[in-house]
Amino acid sequence: MRSPNLAFTILCGGSVLGRVAESASSPSLNRGEIMIRSIKAVLAFCTAAILLPAPAHAAYTINVVESGGSVVATGSGTLNLSALTITLPSALSGSQLYAAVGNIVTGGDFDPVPITQYGNVTGPGSFGTGLLTLPNLYSPVTPTGAIVGIISNTDSLFVPYGYVSGSDLGVSKSTYSGKSFASLGLATGSYKFSWGQGASADTFTVNVGPVTAAVPEPATWALMILGFGIIGFSMRRQPASRYA
């Protein structure tokens, strides 16, 4: 199914190209005015397309950053569990970070709290070389928010016990005081886990370090190139007498 962003890009792109063609055919404008108007229209479209956020859908993201001499993991979002299978209906878990095997759990408390474990998640096997680290061993800051995590070495996902698929999980945070990416063995990058297809598809992303800007969709690049092509074509086809 076509994404909302792609549909928006095509709709706006068509509008911009229409304005470019209209300006080029206007008998009241000279070549310089047409060029300026056309470039402004295309650049405005390009800027909007690049800054447009990713398509909205159920997804969860944990951002891990170095801040004030500590490493802070903050998670938020929603999760669509319809394509996953419960592998452990009820268990206890707490915040943890185990880069070497791709495990990260945020929120909860210093003490283990009830979770439900789901299986059939696919993704990277690690995001570094660090060994198991628990925030309660280093931090006076209690983890906050719902407990949520990815356990890559068992292809599993942890959610709070009783969580309803698709509902907002709020903001979860775990702080590793006095730690750095180096001491925790974390490799910077974006690590995406996924499951399901179509309406049941979802993702869980772990960003270690600064988040890179989104790359425009192929349709955006195509419309940008087409827009500048129309500008050039329109300039070439104008009768010379208009600019005498």
Side-chain angles (χ1 to χ4, degrees):
M1 184 174 68
R2 181 172 292 169
S3 74
N5 275 12
L6 180 56
F8 176 85
T9 298
I10 293 174
L11 179 63
C12 292
S15 174
V16 168
L17 296 183
R19 293 192 62 183
V20 170
E22 181 182 357
S23 295
S25 62
S26 174
S28 64
L29 299 177
N30 60 38
R31 185 184 295 269
E33 290 172 330
I34 292 173
M35 179 66 74
I36 291 173
R37 286 195 178 190
S38 299
I39 290 176
K40 283 183 177 180
V42 173
L43 289 179
F45 163 70
C46 295
T47 301
I50 291 173
L51 295 178
L52 190 68
H57 62 90
Y60 195 85
T61 301
I62 294 179
N63 293 315
V64 186
V65 299
E66 292 178 312
S67 176
S70 300
V71 170
V72 181
T74 305
S76 63
T78 61
L79 289 167
N80 183 345
L81 306 176
S82 58
L84 298 179
T85 303
I86 294 178
T87 52
L88 198 59
S90 179
L92 296 176
S93 181
S95 287
Q96 60 174 279
L97 181 58
Y98 197 167
V101 296
N103 295 358
I104 183 169
V105 181
T106 61
D109 202 334
F110 281 144
D111 298 320
V113 297
I115 59 98
T116 297
Q117 177 178 302
Y118 287 80
N120 300 330
V121 175
T122 60
S126 70
F127 31 83
T129 58
L131 300 179
L132 177 64
T133 305
L134 306 177
N136 61 334
L137 298 179
Y138 307 98
S139 177
V141 182
T142 304
T144 58
I147 186 164
V148 186
I150 201 82
I151 307 296
S152 182
N153 61 342
T154 59
D155 301 323
S156 299
L157 176 71
F158 283 3
V159 297
Y161 180 75
Y163 173 68
V164 177
S165 178
S167 60
D168 187 7
L169 284 157
V171 178
S172 302
K173 182 178 291 187
S174 297
T175 301
Y176 299 82
S177 295
K179 293 294 180 179
S180 64
F181 286 170
S183 64
L184 291 175
L186 287 168
T188 57
S190 184
Y191 306 87
K192 180 173 287 188
F193 302 82
S194 60
W195 58 89
Q197 295 181 343
S200 64
D202 207 353
T203 59
F204 190 118
T205 303
V206 179
N207 295 313
V208 180
V211 180
T212 56
V215 177
E217 293 181 339
T220 302
W221 288 116
L223 285 169
M224 289 163 57
I225 294 170
L226 180 60
F228 284 112
I230 287 179
I231 292 174
F233 176 75
S234 299
M235 294 298 97
R236 289 179 59 85
R237 70 187 295 271
Q238 296 301 323
S241 59
R242 284 185 54 186
Y243 309 106

